[in-house]
Amino acid sequence: MTYCIAVSVDEGLVLTSDSRTNAGIDNVSIYSKMHVFATLEDRKLILLSAGNLATTQAVVEQLRRDKRENALVNLNSMQYLSEAADYLGRVSIEKQKRHTEEGGQSSFNATATFIIAGQVGAEPPGAYLIYAEGNSITTSRQTPYLQIGESKYGKPILDRFVKMSTPLDEAGLCSLISMDSTIRSNASVGSPVELLVYRKDSFCFEEYYCFDADDEYLLLLKRRWHEELRNAFIALPHYDRSLAKPLRDGL
Amino acid sequence: MTYCIAVSVDEGLVLTSDSRTNAGIDNVSIYSKMHVFATLEDRKLILLSAGNLATTQAVVEQLRRDKRENALVNLNSMQYLSEAADYLGRVSIEKQKRHTEEGGQSSFNATATFIIAGQVGAEPPGAYLIYAEGNSITTSRQTPYLQIGESKYGKPILDRFVKMSTPLDEAGLCSLISMDSTIRSNASVGSPVELLVYRKDSFCFEEYYCFDADDEYLLLLKRRWHEELRNAFIALPHYDRSLAKPLRDGL
């Protein structure tokens, strides 16, 4: 499993990813799921990947090769981020099919999902989620984030605190908390945690963090969040026991 | 979908359930998922249900009928809660099979899961989760709760705050918060929210609450939890931006 988040707010983008991959519970490895591409100066693109590792590696390799060979369609030829999403969807479908048709067993799952984010030319920064079927969605002002992989545990905190006006620092903090909740609940999501902050119109990836499992800041953040939650919980009003009723017996 | 929780701690049990059922997103109804049975005085049993409504209704009806007709195996004949879980598993499988074999379409899903909780004779109170396959698990001192239905959104809060030593009032509050997070994130989980608190060795269900969507306490709790979380989030230490590095370009 995997957990990646892309937050797309007024100030720019925040990308977060875990680094655990597993082929069965007894075969766990560390792979970065944050892929950056050397592109022309008028664009900056970052890819987050989830799902079958062979598929995601094949897709990343194809994107790099198309770019190097200056193929008709490649990451340098795009004028819009949505074009990159379409292109990525086509490549993903192609790679998934190849592995499934060429001797895949019935239980074999070659599917993968991606997030492509960044800024192309005069467009504002953005992010697209590419489903295993190759179609894609982007964010909205009401829902300024996308998730791939194990999305449920970490969703409530994003829903509560990420708005279009949220500063990048705060969106980064919220993403780390969302990642912490997910790592706590799903053993197949794990550190190092990568965090990339992209400021609108900067066209550079200067603010990148990689937090190992024993990173002092990450440990402090986990502990403090747990303590703060505990305090929040203790401060809650109790229900009034005088309003309790007996539950009448059924038949 | 559905969300039900059974907390089994030193002081007794806390059962919580939502009341929304849906057959497709366009067919939503209200049904209680908390079923109580009139049993002998040496036992007190409560059933929580999730999954196909026809299956769960058929199972509840069979349990009532077996008891009324004093069948060889029925809720009054059990000496242990684990026997009740086995019995429930058998009835569940039977009802699921009947509906699937008798003309079910391939997309038809008759599966259901249950939690049976309560106290039988001299045994301490307990809870069992019965899977769709008919097998069952109970709680442990490390994990003193069970969930059925949409379990992920509300799991982190239970993991953080429910211990064997947690007082029943606190376990009830934690269950309501867990339910609130789930209702917020999954539109197929909804009020009224039912809450039943069972004190060990009391052999009565005297402390029952039913909170409608517009219940004043529930609205206050939602608002206060959101505010407290906001305060908790604001109090967190930020990562040190001076430690940021550039993300080097890929190929």
Side-chain angles (χ1 to χ4, degrees):
Chain A
M1 205 73 184
T2 286
Y3 181 42
C4 302
I5 316 159
V7 174
S8 178
V9 290
D10 288 333
E11 286 187 6
L13 303 166
V14 177
L15 297 313
T16 315
S17 59
D18 86 309
S19 303
R20 188 163 292 176
T21 66
N22 66 304
I25 194 72
D26 57 348
N27 189 352
V28 173
S29 308
I30 296 177
Y31 279 90
S32 170
K33 297 158 192 177
M34 193 176 273
H35 313 277
V36 61
F37 299 88
T39 47
L40 297 176
E41 283 183 2
D42 70 337
R43 62 196 61 207
K44 210 69 195 171
L45 295 168
I46 190 96
L47 183 72
L48 306 176
S49 59
N52 185 288
L53 183 60
T55 300
T56 62
Q57 287 189 348
V59 167
V60 170
E61 172 62 17
Q62 186 68 51
L63 263 54
R64 294 203 196 290
R65 209 183 295 174
D66 286 351
K67 187 171 61 66
R68 207 176 310 138
E69 295 172 359
N70 208 12
L72 192 64
V73 180
N74 72 77
L75 291 176
N76 278 331
S77 73
M78 310 292 163
Q79 295 192 43
Y80 305 100
L81 192 60
S82 60
E83 275 184 272
D86 280 351
Y87 163 53
L88 186 53
R90 286 195 305 275
V91 174
S92 172
I93 288 285
E94 182 196 315
K95 299 302 177 191
Q96 289 178 56
K97 270 195 183 155
R98 203 186 64 183
H99 290 296
T100 312
E101 285 167 3
E102 288 178 5
Q105 296 174 333
S106 63
S107 65
F108 174 66
N109 185 352
T111 60
T113 51
F114 298 88
I115 288 174
I116 190 155
Q119 186 166 15
V120 178
E123 273 200 308
Y128 281 82
L129 188 167
I130 294 92
Y131 292 107
E133 291 77 10
N135 55 342
S136 59
I137 60 168
T138 185
T139 57
S140 72
R141 295 195 71 80
Q142 291 74 36
T143 308
Y145 69 88
L146 299 166
Q147 301 168 291
I148 53 175
E150 174 58 277
S151 61
K152 289 193 177 183
Y153 296 117
K155 186 172 182 289
I157 189 84
L158 296 171
D159 280 335
R160 283 182 195 273
F161 299 133
V162 177
K163 313 261 175 290
M164 284 302 287
S165 56
T166 303
L168 289 179
D169 284 359
E170 212 171 291
L173 191 56
C174 193
S175 299
L176 289 179
I177 295 295
S178 174
M179 182 61 79
D180 174 47
S181 298
T182 309
I183 288 177
R184 216 172 227 278
S185 294
N186 186 328
S188 70
V189 177
S191 54
V193 174
E194 295 184 276
L195 177 71
L196 178 66
V197 180
Y198 174 76
R199 281 172 208 275
K200 186 180 174 180
D201 300 332
S202 69
F203 289 96
C204 63
F205 289 150
E206 289 294 311
E207 197 177 335
Y208 167 78
Y209 308 83
C210 184
F211 302 103
D212 286 322
D214 60 353
D215 181 272
E216 267 182 44
Y217 169 71
L218 212 58
L219 292 176
L220 172 69
L221 186 65
K222 279 166 186 277
R223 199 173 61 243
R224 283 290 303 281
W225 179 237
H226 187 73
E227 288 165 7
E228 292 291 342
L229 277 184
R230 178 84 222 164
N231 295 339
F233 182 66
I234 286 170
L236 289 177
H238 269 265
Y239 45 88
D240 185 353
R241 276 179 57 192
S242 71
L243 297 179
K245 290 175 293 190
L247 179 58
R248 54 164 197 212
D249 272 356
L251 298 169
Chain B
M1 206 74 184
T2 287
Y3 182 43
C4 302
I5 316 159
V7 174
S8 176
V9 290
D10 289 333
E11 287 187 4
L13 303 167
V14 176
L15 295 314
T16 315
S17 59
D18 86 308
S19 303
R20 187 165 292 176
T21 66
N22 67 303
I25 194 73
D26 56 350
N27 187 353
V28 172
S29 309
I30 295 176
Y31 278 90
S32 170
K33 296 158 191 179
M34 193 176 274
H35 313 275
V36 61
F37 298 88
T39 48
L40 298 176
E41 284 183 2
D42 70 337
R43 63 196 59 206
K44 210 70 195 171
L45 294 169
I46 189 98
L47 183 71
L48 306 177
S49 58
N52 184 288
L53 184 60
T55 300
T56 62
Q57 287 190 347
V59 167
V60 170
E61 172 62 17
Q62 186 68 51
L63 263 55
R64 294 204 197 287
R65 208 183 296 175
D66 286 351
K67 187 171 61 65
R68 206 176 311 139
E69 295 173 359
N70 208 12
L72 192 64
V73 180
N74 73 77
L75 291 176
N76 277 331
S77 73
M78 311 291 164
Q79 294 191 43
Y80 305 99
L81 191 61
S82 60
E83 275 184 272
D86 280 352
Y87 162 53
L88 185 54
R90 287 196 303 276
V91 174
S92 172
I93 288 286
E94 182 196 314
K95 300 302 178 192
Q96 290 178 56
K97 270 195 184 156
R98 204 187 63 183
H99 291 295
T100 312
E101 285 167 3
E102 289 178 5
Q105 297 174 333
S106 64
S107 65
F108 174 66
N109 185 352
T111 60
T113 51
F114 298 89
I115 287 174
I116 190 157
Q119 186 166 15
V120 178
E123 274 200 308
Y128 281 82
L129 187 167
I130 293 93
Y131 292 107
E133 291 77 10
N135 56 342
S136 60
I137 60 166
T138 185
T139 58
S140 73
R141 295 196 70 80
Q142 291 73 34
T143 307
Y145 69 87
L146 299 167
Q147 301 168 291
I148 52 175
E150 174 58 276
S151 60
K152 289 193 177 182
Y153 297 116
K155 185 172 182 289
I157 189 84
L158 296 170
D159 280 336
R160 284 182 195 273
F161 300 134
V162 177
K163 312 261 174 291
M164 283 303 286
S165 57
T166 303
L168 289 179
D169 285 359
E170 212 172 289
L173 192 56
C174 193
S175 299
L176 288 179
I177 295 296
S178 174
M179 182 62 78
D180 174 46
S181 298
T182 309
I183 288 176
R184 218 172 225 278
S185 294
N186 186 329
S188 72
V189 177
S191 56
V193 174
E194 296 184 276
L195 178 71
L196 177 67
V197 179
Y198 174 75
R199 281 172 207 277
K200 186 179 173 180
D201 301 332
S202 69
F203 290 96
C204 62
F205 289 150
E206 290 294 311
E207 197 176 335
Y208 168 78
Y209 309 83
C210 184
F211 303 102
D212 286 321
D214 60 354
D215 181 273
E216 268 182 44
Y217 169 71
L218 211 59
L219 291 177
L220 172 70
L221 186 65
K222 279 166 186 278
R223 197 173 63 241
R224 283 290 302 279
W225 180 237
H226 187 72
E227 288 165 7
E228 291 292 341
L229 277 184
R230 179 84 222 164
N231 294 340
F233 182 65
I234 287 170
L236 289 177
H238 270 265
Y239 44 88
D240 184 352
R241 275 179 56 190
S242 72
L243 297 178
K245 292 174 291 190
L247 179 58
R248 54 164 198 212
D249 273 355
L251 297 170

